[in-house]
Amino acid sequence: MKNDEGLDFALSRKTGHMVDVTMVARGLACDCVCAHCGALLQAKKGRKNRHHFAHYVAGRATGLCGGGRESALHAAARQLVAGWCTIELPALLVEEAGRRASIPGRVISIRSSELPDDMRGATYWGRDRVRPDVVMHAEGETIWAEILVTHAVGDSKRARLGRHAISTLEFDLAGMHREGSWTLATLEHALRTDVGIQRWAYHVEEARLRRQLREDSEASARPLTRMEVPWTGVAHDHEGEAPDPVLSGCAGSKAMDWAPLVFDPAMGLIPRDPAKRLAFIAQVYPEPTRYELSGAVAFLRRHPHGDGSCWVTIGGRSPGGRKSAYDAALSEFARSAGLHCVDFAIAGTREVRGPQCHEQLDRFFSALARSTAAEGLPASDL
Ligand SMILES: [Zn+2]
């Protein structure tokens, strides 16, 4: 259908918000202007052509202004992202010196958002002339979003973003801006769910991960030591069948040694094999604290993001052990301590978040380990 001239989105003069053609009355009654040039628009909602907005200048329909489509899509996407109460941040995957590391994706709550050029102070222009498209304020962190409709964030902008040290998520709409037929609903769906258009333009953890991979690579140039995996004895999918405790040379392994890989929405690319997966996590993520319990062992890890959440794994030493009792005790403790527990991507592992999460859990498991060691039995309240 012919529609090279049309706009999918327009700026409503009534509300000051971007609207799509399904939301307005036909013709000039739509009361909209072009987000790029400010010209009056009419909503074309006829039978033949796809519905769209057309420029209307000096009493007649005119052609599309240069940049009109890009500006319309850009403004609509910014408005949508700025309206989100939660955002699913993608995993960060880093490759350096032939090695890979990742930081898992996660969902965060957005307390408030800003569209910086709407602000009088124009503070984000600053010294480095960086103005993010959307600023999202979450608990204890700020995320910037960049909406691209023509070209990607260049190296010089990336360097300027780095000076601000704020993780910046890029939505690349360049491939879709010519397609047309967008509504706010379909655009929102694409922004939220199309992982192909999201990437980190800058991530605060990337430099650290790269440095760590380089150091690991240099360390592995020395004679390899057999790396003991701290997950030994943890029950996983197959009860009683522990993962291979020793993976020879895994400290010096390249990504291909983990193959085949599968994509996990929370963790990025991880080995398909359960034993390799545990070893991979042990290598990539921070060392756990280990608690010896009666008939079981518990591991507590800080989340690699440093966002205050923790991972807890409780493994039974034998089938019919006290693992389920400890699981229940942990749930009970988390509830009373105001911590939030969710099952994680790995069998037997839970993600726990909340105030002083690691400290609280450490006290809980230390007390549990002491009481089971003293009595040779689990704590009396189990
Ligand atoms: Zn225009």
Side-chain angles (χ1 to χ4, degrees), residues 34 37 55 65:
C34 172
C37 69
H55 281 60
C65 65

Side-chain angles (χ1 to χ4, degrees), residues 154-370:
D155 286 343
S156 77
K157 181 157 192 189
R158 206 177 294 273
R160 282 182 277 132
L161 288 170
R163 283 202 284 277
H164 287 261
I166 295 175
S167 292
T168 304
L169 186 59
E170 183 180 291
F171 295 88
D172 186 353
L173 306 183
M176 61 169 66
H177 92 268
R178 294 193 183 282
E179 290 172 19
S181 285
W182 291 100
T183 64
L184 287 178
T186 57
L187 180 59
E188 165 136 41
H189 187 260
L191 288 166
R192 280 223 183 252
T193 63
D194 188 346
V195 293
I197 64 173
Q198 296 179 12
R199 63 178 159 257
W200 288 108
Y202 175 80
H203 193 293
V204 289
E205 292 292 326
E206 182 172 343
R208 183 184 63 77
L209 274 188
R210 287 193 185 283
R211 197 168 55 241
Q212 192 181 316
L213 289 174
R214 274 196 305 275
E215 286 169 8
D216 290 353
S217 173
E218 286 157 15
S220 74
R222 297 192 296 271
L224 290 178
T225 52
R226 286 158 74 84
M227 177 179 133
E228 186 168 349
V229 179
W231 296 71
T232 308
V234 176
H236 53 108
D237 296 356
H238 313 287
E239 188 71 29
E241 178 195 328
D244 182 0
V246 175
L247 288 170
S248 299
C250 94
S253 60
K254 293 187 174 185
M256 56 183 291
D257 297 331
W258 302 112
L261 299 174
V262 291
F263 183 77
D264 178 272
M267 308 189 61
L269 286 173
I270 54 175
R272 186 195 296 277
D273 178 78
K276 283 186 181 175
R277 186 179 303 177
L278 292 176
F280 173 83
I281 290 160
Q283 180 183 324
V284 172
Y285 294 116
E287 283 298 297
T289 313
R290 180 186 176 118
Y291 306 88
E292 298 293 337
L293 308 175
S294 175
V297 60
F299 296 99
L300 174 63
R301 289 163 194 271
R302 286 181 197 278
H303 195 291
H305 274 102
D307 67 348
S309 66
C310 296
W311 295 351
V312 175
T313 307
I314 301 177
R317 291 197 187 285
S318 55
R322 304 210 45 110
K323 179 180 175 315
S324 58
Y326 293 125
D327 274 333
L330 172 61
S331 299
E332 180 59 37
F333 171 76
R335 256 197 305 281
S336 67
L339 301 174
H340 182 61
C341 257
V342 290
D343 285 322
F344 199 54
I346 303 147
T349 299
R350 285 197 267 181
E351 188 186 56
V352 185
R353 59 176 67 239
Q356 276 93 50
C357 179
H358 191 274
E359 293 74 10
Q360 293 210 65
L361 289 169
D362 178 54
R363 278 198 295 275
F364 168 74
F365 281 115
S366 298
L368 203 56
R370 272 197 306 277

Side-chain angles (χ1 to χ4, degrees), residues 10-20 23-24 30-33 79 118 184:
L11 181 61
S12 166
R13 292 202 295 190
K14 220 178 291 171
T15 64
H17 290 125
M18 296 301 291
V19 292
D20 66 46
M23 300 164 70
V24 295
C30 71
D31 198 17
C32 287
V33 295
Q79 174 180 304
D118 293 347
L184 287 178

Side-chain angles (χ1 to χ4, degrees), residues 7 33-41 55 63-69:
L7 291 176
V33 295
C34 172
H36 187 72
C37 69
L40 211 53
L41 299 176
H55 281 60
L64 178 64
C65 65
R69 289 183 66 96

